[in-house]
Amino acid sequence: MELVVSAVAGDLVNRLMSFLISKYRSEEQLEKKMKRLQDLLIRAHMIVEEAEVRYITNSNMLLQLRKLVEVMYQGYHVLDTIKYRRLGADENEVRSFNINELSFTTSIRRLCTTICTSSFPQLQISLDNLESTVSDMKEFVLLLGGCKRMFRSPYDSYVYIDNYMFGRHVEKQLVINILLQENIPHFAPAVLPIIGGSRVGKKTLVAHVCNNDKVRSKFSSILHMSSENIWRIEHEEVAPERSLVVVEFTSDVEEKDWLKFYSSVKQMGRGSKIIIISRVAKLSRFGTVKPVHLNSLSHEEYSYLFKVLAFGGTNPEGHPQLAVIAEDLAVALGGSLITANVCADMMRKNQDVHFWIRLLKRYKNVVQKNLSVFGKHPKNLMDKDHPIDITRLASSSRSSSRTLRLMPPHSEIDDPKTELPKVMFGDLLAGSAVLPREEFELVAWESRIPPYKRFVNFATYCDEEPIYQHHTSSAGKKRKRTVR
């Protein structure tokens, strides 16, 4: 019997030792792979930063740059996910206040296929992709050295990320290249359509490009117009100088109206160009060059931006619990740049874990409500000019028993002068806003970078089951009556 017990005990000890050795080796391999990934990310980011300050005219180089940027942010996302979850030791500590409160993120996460389900396989995939891409960049780096450098301000824009245009490396180069090219034929103004969804940064991209020193020196004047005032150009004296005309269209345009506008621009100096900004893809038919399509940021790129904005100068590695919350909130926000700026601004000013959790819970409530009522995420509703239910953000107000919705049109106003009271979205999200009893304007965000837009929404109280068409119409009419 003693021999049997001794044999069993010896077997258990051997198994335990094998398990511990295997676990140690796995941890050691994981650390090595993470270190290798981190080194590759430094090299990749170095190449991207250098490409950012060069004029790249080679289309294949731009394709290679696009691929590098994509795998770079994927690598950052995988590295951060593993690093902060491990530093946090037990993710349940962050969510111990109520594990079910944040369970909604699980369903949203399934839509983001790049989020790690297993550390090792995803790390290996990201590592292989980045190693392959970086090793293929030798010719790119060599050719990049021959590209002319752009003028840069003395400040490092990567430090002041809150005040400069994030990403869009390839799109910016494409637009600059088209604007600097000579027109073919020379007497016809080139037309560049920039097409993209709601609030993805179309006007920000154009403003950034128009601030480029070579673009400014190329054109004697840069005119910004809207679809409502383009017809003024027919009745005004057009200066015979090379001009860049930037026009935003909110709806489709008839052929005859476009031809009339285009013939007026022809009267400008030789070499003039037109940029069309619109959400309407059909307007691409007026382009004389290939349109630039601006899509939403990938989840990895969006998550990277959000965490940089939220932490500011703080090192996330010193606050792994906050990093986990920031990742969950980035998922919940659904890619909205406006909401990301609002939330990150508050989080950067108050880096307390309980405040961040409370902010996540409040926005989670809004997402859950809209998913249950409309079946879509708030960002998707806004992109389609659909009402958004924000009642749960007003839960602490005296009017909490009434349904509160943001109504289209979701506008961008440079200097709004309305008779309606105004509430800042940040105050509403933080629970510190005292809401008016009747309809009001919700100022979502005031951009800190060109074109310095104020993003304004019309908010109104309504019945639980409103007639959306009626409210949309009345909201639009109300805005027309009050804007002066």
Side-chain angles (χ1 to χ4, degrees):
M1 186 64 179
E2 291 181 2
L3 291 175
V4 173
V5 172
S6 178
V8 171
D11 182 60
L12 289 175
V13 170
N14 289 334
R15 289 188 180 187
L16 177 60
M17 292 299 294
S18 298
F19 170 76
L20 292 176
I21 293 172
S22 175
K23 183 178 180 181
Y24 173 77
R25 287 176 177 173
S26 296
E27 285 290 320
E28 192 176 33
Q29 288 179 352
L30 184 62
E31 289 291 344
K32 287 182 179 179
K33 290 181 183 294
M34 289 176 64
K35 178 64 167 59
R36 175 59 179 161
L37 180 59
Q38 196 163 25
D39 292 342
L40 285 170
L41 285 171
I42 293 174
R43 291 176 60 189
H45 215 140
M46 178 178 63
I47 297 172
V48 172
E49 285 192 23
E50 188 60 28
E52 177 76 10
V53 298
R54 302 274 184 171
Y55 290 103
I56 304 175
T57 58
N58 188 301
S59 59
N60 288 318
M61 287 181 68
L62 291 177
L63 289 175
Q64 208 167 358
L65 177 61
R66 187 190 297 276
K67 182 180 179 182
L68 179 64
V69 169
E70 181 181 331
V71 296
M72 181 184 74
Y73 285 114
Q74 287 174 354
Y76 274 123
H77 187 258
V78 170
L79 186 65
D80 287 352
T81 300
I82 298 173
K83 183 192 300 181
Y84 299 134
R85 303 284 178 184
R86 292 174 77 224
L87 287 173
D90 183 6
E91 188 178 335
N92 289 333
E93 285 183 23
V94 180
R95 302 176 176 183
S96 60
F97 63 96
N98 188 341
I99 194 65
N100 293 322
E101 288 292 335
L102 303 184
S103 61
F104 84 107
T105 56
T106 304
S107 59
I108 301 178
R109 281 173 179 273
R110 289 171 185 166
L111 301 177
C112 305
T113 57
T114 54
I115 293 181
C116 295
T117 57
S118 177
S119 299
F120 227 94
Q122 193 66 26
L123 176 60
Q124 187 62 55
I125 292 171
S126 183
L127 187 57
D128 291 343
N129 288 341
L130 197 56
E131 278 186 329
S132 174
T133 305
V134 171
S135 65
D136 290 341
M137 300 297 290
K138 294 176 182 177
E139 293 82 1
F140 179 92
V141 173
L142 185 63
L143 293 172
L144 190 64
C147 297
K148 188 175 180 180
R149 292 185 66 87
M150 297 181 185
F151 170 77
R152 301 290 287 185
S153 62
Y155 299 104
D156 182 2
S157 60
Y158 286 88
V159 175
Y160 298 94
I161 192 169
D162 197 31
N163 295 317
Y164 92 107
M165 186 186 71
F166 173 77
R168 307 302 187 191
H169 311 284
V170 174
E171 291 86 353
K172 185 189 71 173
Q173 294 279 3
L174 287 172
V175 176
I176 290 177
N177 289 343
I178 292 170
L179 295 183
L180 296 183
Q181 290 172 0
E182 292 299 326
N183 293 340
I184 301 176
H186 296 294
F187 59 83
V191 181
L192 168 63
I194 298 180
I195 308 297
S198 174
R199 300 181 176 182
V200 296
K202 300 183 294 295
K203 288 185 286 296
T204 301
L205 172 64
V206 171
H208 188 82
V209 168
C210 290
N211 196 43
N212 179 272
D213 60 315
K214 289 190 74 173
V215 172
R216 290 201 310 270
S217 63
K218 177 82 171 180
F219 300 97
S220 301
S221 62
I222 300 178
L223 308 176
H224 294 269
M225 313 182 75
S226 65
S227 55
E228 288 78 17
N229 62 17
I230 60 171
W231 316 124
R232 293 185 319 181
I233 208 169
E234 294 180 75
H235 310 291
E236 295 180 356
E237 186 174 345
V238 177
E241 58 186 18
R242 177 181 291 179
S243 302
L244 173 60
V245 181
V246 181
V247 56
E248 180 184 2
F249 289 103
T250 55
S251 59
D252 198 9
V253 181
E254 293 185 12
E255 298 284 342
K256 61 178 182 179
D257 293 330
W258 169 258
L259 291 175
K260 190 183 298 184
F261 167 71
Y262 189 68
S263 63
S264 299
V265 178
K266 277 186 177 180
Q267 307 306 313
M268 296 180 175
R270 179 171 292 187
S272 296
K273 296 181 188 287
I274 302 172
I275 293 179
I276 294 175
I277 302 175
S278 184
R279 295 166 56 182
V280 183
K282 289 175 63 178
L283 289 172
S284 297
R285 69 186 186 276
F286 296 133
T288 61
V289 296
K290 188 176 180 180
V292 173
H293 292 279
L294 217 59
N295 300 316
S296 298
L297 297 177
S298 67
H299 173 71
E300 294 85 0
E301 198 170 1
Y302 179 79
S303 177
Y304 178 91
L305 169 64
F306 180 70
K307 281 181 278 193
V308 170
L309 291 174
F311 281 97
T314 304
N315 185 1
E317 293 188 16
H319 305 274
Q321 289 185 334
L322 293 182
V324 173
I325 299 170
E327 173 61 30
D328 283 345
L329 188 50
V331 174
L333 294 178
S336 170
L337 294 175
I338 302 300
T339 315
N341 275 285
V342 176
C343 291
D345 187 60
M346 293 188 293
M347 295 163 74
R348 187 170 57 252
K349 294 174 182 176
N350 186 356
Q351 297 193 346
D352 174 72
V353 66
H354 299 292
F355 175 76
W356 285 32
I357 288 173
R358 193 160 60 247
L359 192 65
L360 175 58
K361 287 177 64 180
R362 288 182 68 82
Y363 196 76
K364 176 268 298 189
N365 288 335
V366 175
V367 175
Q368 283 184 330
K369 180 65 174 178
N370 283 276
L371 287 173
S372 63
V373 174
F374 303 119
K376 291 184 178 180
H377 190 279
K379 181 182 183 300
N380 296 333
L381 294 172
M382 180 169 287
D383 290 346
K384 300 295 183 182
D385 281 333
H386 192 284
I388 301 170
D389 194 306
I390 58 169
T391 308
R392 293 189 178 180
L393 285 184
S395 58
S396 60
S397 78
R398 57 183 177 229
S399 303
S400 58
S401 59
R402 303 167 65 189
T403 300
L404 180 62
R405 286 193 168 90
L406 293 186
M407 309 300 293
H410 307 291
S411 59
E412 300 166 10
I413 303 176
D414 290 305
D415 185 23
K417 297 178 181 178
T418 69
E419 298 171 356
L420 296 175
K422 295 175 178 59
V423 175
M424 298 302 295
F425 180 58
D427 296 336
L428 181 63
L429 194 58
S432 60
V434 178
L435 300 185
R437 293 184 180 274
E438 301 301 330
E439 56 198 17
F440 60 92
E441 281 194 343
L442 189 67
V443 181
W445 182 249
E446 298 183 43
S447 175
R448 296 191 180 103
I449 61 176
Y452 303 109
K453 290 288 184 179
R454 285 167 55 94
F455 298 89
V456 182
N457 295 286
F458 175 80
T460 185
Y461 298 97
C462 57
D463 298 329
E464 184 63 31
E465 297 296 336
I467 302 175
Y468 302 119
Q469 185 176 359
H470 168 73
H471 281 276
T472 301
S473 175
S474 63
K477 290 179 181 178
K478 181 68 178 178
R479 294 195 65 81
K480 288 180 181 178
R481 286 201 305 271
T482 56
V483 176
R484 299 194 288 266

